[in-house]
Amino acid sequence: MDDERMQKLKKDSNPYLSSASSFLAMLAEIVQNDSNKTEEGCVTVAPIAFWTRLFAKFFLHVDNPSHDDLLFYVRKDPATHNDKPDIKVFRRESQRNPGLGDPAFDWTETVYLNLILQQLKYQLTCAICTRDENGVVVIHKKVSQEVYASPSRHDMEEKGPSAELSYPNIFFSIDSFDEIWTDLHVNEDEMVCVEIIAHDENKDFNSVIFIGSVGHTALHRAYSKKTEALTTANRFATFMSLGLYKPNSSQVQFVKMVGPNGNGYAEMAIDLYTKAKDRKAGDASSKSESSSKGDSRHYLTARTASSSAVESSLPTARFSSRDPTNTSLKTQLTYVSLPWHKIVLDLLKTYECPTECKKPALGP
């Protein structure tokens, strides 16, 4: 079969190959560069020259109104013998931007970091689900929210402005988690499912970069263990302070979950749902003449952490409906974190093998 026919077959089976979008054009060049490797593992284009050219072409010399004018540089100075990366941020037109090819910076990671932060949008969906007798996921309730990728994180407990570098982990934080996830209650036979879909500006390209679930039993076990530990600590502190210490009466606990196959992790605020608490919150809301539409429940918050495991990926989902019971847990996702290379690998796999990659389970 001649090369021209092979290329036509590839384009027919992969719609991304014929796209003219900037993001897909960049992926095409990256994949093409990989294919230029010889049997000895050498690359025909010098690595630094290739990545700096890519950076200049798609970020430094492009003024896209949909992109931020900030550029992110991954600094790994070999002279310091320190492998811990640092992120330098400059405006596109700044005279302080590092020179292209500066050996103090990792240009491969610099390109990929800007790709993740600048050229993609992310939709996070959190849902309450069960599996039917055929193993199909049944969605009882779901909420979707646009989230933003960041190489840094801040303390969700205090919701303060201070942030710390998290790179090489990329954080997708939900700062207003207590306002967004107001009606996601998981019962004893249900699970909480989380999915993040990355897409380009025109939604010509979509890739599932995170999908997992955790059941009621695991969440309740982690919640109970943390609550018991906190109660014991509060009693001891009260005793040692001769009653002067007043512990926080909140029952919300923050549970940290490891992602599927150990890739990434997520944190979820958990609280017991009771109809008595629901009625009390509803009465208080009525007295304060707050909005009568939507969920009027209110819970005090205190944040701790525990660990649990996220289950495997989910098959195609269908919808159903179910009311919360007295044994429900109120769940509020606070963030999902993934290493940058895991995001990039999923993007490249979706580009090269769109028919073989993971499909959205919770829908758009």
Side-chain angles (χ1 to χ4, degrees), residues 1-12:
M1 186 178 295
D2 55 42
D3 291 342
E4 184 177 348
R5 188 178 177 188
M6 281 291 295
Q7 290 300 321
K8 183 179 185 304
L9 286 176
K10 287 182 178 180
K11 289 185 178 181
D12 289 342

Side-chain angles (χ1 to χ4, degrees), residues 109-226:
E109 291 190 26
T110 294
V111 168
Y112 280 133
L113 178 58
N114 282 276
L115 182 153
I116 291 170
L117 301 183
Q118 302 275 20
Q119 290 207 338
L120 289 169
K121 297 182 182 296
Y122 304 90
Q123 177 179 276
L124 184 150
T125 299
C126 196
I128 304 300
C129 308
T130 56
R131 294 183 186 272
D132 64 14
E133 61 277 5
N134 297 317
V136 176
V137 172
V138 181
I139 299 176
H140 304 290
K141 177 75 176 182
K142 76 171 185 176
V143 179
S144 296
Q145 173 74 17
E146 182 178 6
V147 292
Y148 301 92
S150 174
S152 61
R153 59 162 298 181
H154 60 267
D155 189 349
M156 299 301 288
E157 179 176 355
E158 302 298 334
K159 290 191 175 183
S162 60
E164 61 180 7
L165 183 66
S166 63
Y167 187 85
N169 292 321
I170 303 297
F171 268 72
F172 302 88
S173 300
I174 304 95
D175 293 326
S176 54
F177 63 87
D178 47 356
E179 299 174 5
I180 295 172
W181 321 116
T182 59
D183 196 26
L184 294 178
H185 305 94
V186 56
N187 295 321
E188 291 183 1
D189 59 343
E190 296 174 337
M191 56 186 172
V192 184
C193 304
V194 179
E195 179 179 74
I196 298 181
I197 299 176
H199 62 84
D200 62 353
E201 185 177 354
N202 299 321
K203 295 189 176 181
D204 294 328
F205 175 91
N206 294 276
S207 177
V208 177
I209 62 171
F210 184 90
I211 183 168
S213 63
V214 60
H216 176 280
T217 300
L219 287 175
H220 194 278
R221 185 185 301 116
Y223 173 86
S224 299
K225 182 178 180 180
K226 206 62 188 181

